[in-house]
PDB file of all heavy atoms in Angstrom:
ATOM      1  N   GLN A   8     106.761 103.592 102.071  1.00  0.00           N
ATOM      2  CA  GLN A   8     107.466 104.637 102.804  1.00  0.00           C
ATOM      3  C   GLN A   8     108.906 104.214 103.061  1.00  0.00           C
ATOM      4  O   GLN A   8     109.236 103.035 103.023  1.00  0.00           O
ATOM      5  CB  GLN A   8     106.768 104.973 104.128  1.00  0.00           C
ATOM      6  CG  GLN A   8     106.748 103.855 105.141  1.00  0.00           C
ATOM      7  CD  GLN A   8     106.200 104.308 106.490  1.00  0.00           C
ATOM      8  OE1 GLN A   8     106.443 105.436 106.939  1.00  0.00           O
ATOM      9  NE2 GLN A   8     105.452 103.430 107.139  1.00  0.00           N
ATOM     10  N   PHE A  25     109.679 100.167 103.159  1.00  0.00           N
ATOM     11  CA  PHE A  25     108.448  99.377 103.176  1.00  0.00           C
ATOM     12  C   PHE A  25     107.849  99.358 101.776  1.00  0.00           C
ATOM     13  O   PHE A  25     107.530 100.411 101.211  1.00  0.00           O
ATOM     14  CB  PHE A  25     107.447  99.962 104.176  1.00  0.00           C
ATOM     15  CG  PHE A  25     107.860  99.776 105.607  1.00  0.00           C
ATOM     16  CD1 PHE A  25     108.763 100.638 106.194  1.00  0.00           C
ATOM     17  CD2 PHE A  25     107.347  98.734 106.363  1.00  0.00           C
ATOM     18  CE1 PHE A  25     109.163 100.457 107.513  1.00  0.00           C
ATOM     19  CE2 PHE A  25     107.726  98.549 107.676  1.00  0.00           C
ATOM     20  CZ  PHE A  25     108.645  99.413 108.263  1.00  0.00           C
ATOM     21  N   TYR A  35      95.671  90.170 112.224  1.00  0.00           N
ATOM     22  CA  TYR A  35      96.224  91.143 113.164  1.00  0.00           C
ATOM     23  C   TYR A  35      97.165  92.147 112.499  1.00  0.00           C
ATOM     24  O   TYR A  35      97.915  92.847 113.184  1.00  0.00           O
ATOM     25  CB  TYR A  35      96.947  90.444 114.314  1.00  0.00           C
ATOM     26  CG  TYR A  35      98.171  89.651 113.917  1.00  0.00           C
ATOM     27  CD1 TYR A  35      99.348  90.279 113.549  1.00  0.00           C
ATOM     28  CD2 TYR A  35      98.151  88.259 113.957  1.00  0.00           C
ATOM     29  CE1 TYR A  35     100.468  89.563 113.195  1.00  0.00           C
ATOM     30  CE2 TYR A  35      99.277  87.520 113.622  1.00  0.00           C
ATOM     31  CZ  TYR A  35     100.435  88.175 113.242  1.00  0.00           C
ATOM     32  OH  TYR A  35     101.548  87.461 112.905  1.00  0.00           O
ATOM     33  N   CYS A  36      97.156  92.233 111.180  1.00  0.00           N
ATOM     34  CA  CYS A  36      98.094  93.101 110.465  1.00  0.00           C
ATOM     35  C   CYS A  36      98.081  94.523 111.034  1.00  0.00           C
ATOM     36  O   CYS A  36      97.020  95.136 111.178  1.00  0.00           O
ATOM     37  CB  CYS A  36      97.738  93.136 108.975  1.00  0.00           C
ATOM     38  SG  CYS A  36      98.903  94.114 107.987  1.00  0.00           S
ATOM     39  N   HIS A  37      99.272  95.035 111.354  1.00  0.00           N
ATOM     40  CA  HIS A  37      99.375  96.364 111.946  1.00  0.00           C
ATOM     41  C   HIS A  37      99.490  97.474 110.903  1.00  0.00           C
ATOM     42  O   HIS A  37      99.389  98.653 111.226  1.00  0.00           O
ATOM     43  CB  HIS A  37     100.572  96.420 112.903  1.00  0.00           C
ATOM     44  CG  HIS A  37     100.409  95.552 114.101  1.00  0.00           C
ATOM     45  ND1 HIS A  37     100.854  94.247 114.140  1.00  0.00           N
ATOM     46  CD2 HIS A  37      99.817  95.775 115.296  1.00  0.00           C
ATOM     47  CE1 HIS A  37     100.567  93.709 115.313  1.00  0.00           C
ATOM     48  NE2 HIS A  37      99.935  94.616 116.027  1.00  0.00           N
ATOM     49  N   ASN A  38      99.753  97.110 109.663  1.00  0.00           N
ATOM     50  CA  ASN A  38      99.749  98.108 108.582  1.00  0.00           C
ATOM     51  C   ASN A  38      98.977  97.547 107.394  1.00  0.00           C
ATOM     52  O   ASN A  38      99.547  97.316 106.322  1.00  0.00           O
ATOM     53  CB  ASN A  38     101.173  98.537 108.198  1.00  0.00           C
ATOM     54  CG  ASN A  38     102.077  97.353 107.898  1.00  0.00           C
ATOM     55  OD1 ASN A  38     101.752  96.198 108.162  1.00  0.00           O
ATOM     56  ND2 ASN A  38     103.233  97.649 107.334  1.00  0.00           N
ATOM     57  N   PRO A  39      97.666  97.327 107.579  1.00  0.00           N
ATOM     58  CA  PRO A  39      96.856  96.702 106.526  1.00  0.00           C
ATOM     59  C   PRO A  39      96.803  97.502 105.237  1.00  0.00           C
ATOM     60  O   PRO A  39      96.502  96.942 104.180  1.00  0.00           O
ATOM     61  CB  PRO A  39      95.467  96.575 107.165  1.00  0.00           C
ATOM     62  CG  PRO A  39      95.448  97.602 108.255  1.00  0.00           C
ATOM     63  CD  PRO A  39      96.855  97.655 108.765  1.00  0.00           C
ATOM     64  N   GLU A  40      97.118  98.782 105.305  1.00  0.00           N
ATOM     65  CA  GLU A  40      97.094  99.604 104.098  1.00  0.00           C
ATOM     66  C   GLU A  40      98.206  99.228 103.121  1.00  0.00           C
ATOM     67  O   GLU A  40      98.221  99.715 101.980  1.00  0.00           O
ATOM     68  CB  GLU A  40      97.197 101.088 104.445  1.00  0.00           C
ATOM     69  CG  GLU A  40      98.540 101.555 104.960  1.00  0.00           C
ATOM     70  CD  GLU A  40      98.787 101.260 106.433  1.00  0.00           C
ATOM     71  OE1 GLU A  40      97.903 100.653 107.085  1.00  0.00           O
ATOM     72  OE2 GLU A  40      99.869 101.633 106.939  1.00  0.00           O
ATOM     73  N   THR A  41      99.124  98.344 103.538  1.00  0.00           N
ATOM     74  CA  THR A  41     100.178  97.904 102.626  1.00  0.00           C
ATOM     75  C   THR A  41      99.831  96.595 101.924  1.00  0.00           C
ATOM     76  O   THR A  41     100.627  96.086 101.124  1.00  0.00           O
ATOM     77  CB  THR A  41     101.513  97.701 103.384  1.00  0.00           C
ATOM     78  OG1 THR A  41     101.377  96.606 104.307  1.00  0.00           O
ATOM     79  CG2 THR A  41     101.915  98.955 104.124  1.00  0.00           C
ATOM     80  N   GLN A  42      98.649  96.036 102.174  1.00  0.00           N
ATOM     81  CA  GLN A  42      98.339  94.695 101.656  1.00  0.00           C
ATOM     82  C   GLN A  42      98.104  94.671 100.157  1.00  0.00           C
ATOM     83  O   GLN A  42      98.489  93.718  99.480  1.00  0.00           O
ATOM     84  CB  GLN A  42      97.111  94.125 102.384  1.00  0.00           C
ATOM     85  CG  GLN A  42      97.385  93.728 103.825  1.00  0.00           C
ATOM     86  CD  GLN A  42      96.166  93.112 104.491  1.00  0.00           C
ATOM     87  OE1 GLN A  42      95.142  92.872 103.849  1.00  0.00           O
ATOM     88  NE2 GLN A  42      96.263  92.866 105.785  1.00  0.00           N
ATOM     89  N   SER A 117     111.051  95.745 104.057  1.00  0.00           N
ATOM     90  CA  SER A 117     109.886  95.082 104.634  1.00  0.00           C
ATOM     91  C   SER A 117     108.697  95.309 103.714  1.00  0.00           C
ATOM     92  O   SER A 117     108.846  95.513 102.525  1.00  0.00           O
ATOM     93  CB  SER A 117     109.640  95.622 106.058  1.00  0.00           C
ATOM     94  OG  SER A 117     108.606  94.948 106.704  1.00  0.00           O
ATOM     95  N   GLY A 118     107.486  95.254 104.279  1.00  0.00           N
ATOM     96  CA  GLY A 118     106.317  95.411 103.437  1.00  0.00           C
ATOM     97  C   GLY A 118     105.057  95.703 104.227  1.00  0.00           C
ATOM     98  O   GLY A 118     105.162  96.226 105.342  1.00  0.00           O
ATOM     99  N   GLY A 119     103.879  95.244 103.682  1.00  0.00           N
ATOM    100  CA  GLY A 119     103.778  94.344 102.560  1.00  0.00           C
ATOM    101  C   GLY A 119     104.662  93.117 102.708  1.00  0.00           C
ATOM    102  O   GLY A 119     105.058  92.723 103.772  1.00  0.00           O
ATOM    103  N   ASN A 243      97.366  98.147 117.714  1.00  0.00           N
ATOM    104  CA  ASN A 243      97.713  99.383 117.017  1.00  0.00           C
ATOM    105  C   ASN A 243      97.605  99.199 115.504  1.00  0.00           C
ATOM    106  O   ASN A 243      98.294  98.355 114.925  1.00  0.00           O
ATOM    107  CB  ASN A 243      99.143  99.812 117.360  1.00  0.00           C
ATOM    108  CG  ASN A 243      99.342 100.051 118.839  1.00  0.00           C
ATOM    109  OD1 ASN A 243      98.402 100.367 119.548  1.00  0.00           O
ATOM    110  ND2 ASN A 243     100.556  99.887 119.313  1.00  0.00           N
ATOM    111  N   GLY A 244      96.741  99.983 114.865  1.00  0.00           N
ATOM    112  CA  GLY A 244      96.589  99.941 113.421  1.00  0.00           C
ATOM    113  C   GLY A 244      95.759  98.793 112.889  1.00  0.00           C
ATOM    114  O   GLY A 244      95.490  98.726 111.683  1.00  0.00           O
ATOM    115  N   VAL A 245      95.348  97.879 113.760  1.00  0.00           N
ATOM    116  CA  VAL A 245      94.617  96.687 113.325  1.00  0.00           C
ATOM    117  C   VAL A 245      93.180  97.058 112.985  1.00  0.00           C
ATOM    118  O   VAL A 245      92.546  97.879 113.651  1.00  0.00           O
ATOM    119  CB  VAL A 245      94.639  95.606 114.431  1.00  0.00           C
ATOM    120  CG1 VAL A 245      93.831  94.382 114.018  1.00  0.00           C
ATOM    121  CG2 VAL A 245      96.078  95.218 114.749  1.00  0.00           C
TER     122      VAL A 245
END
Side-chain angles (χ1 to χ4, degrees):
Q8 65 173 323
F25 290 81
Y35 64 73
C36 183
H37 294 91
N38 52 349
E40 71 280 1
T41 66
Q42 288 182 6
S117 185
N243 300 334
V245 177

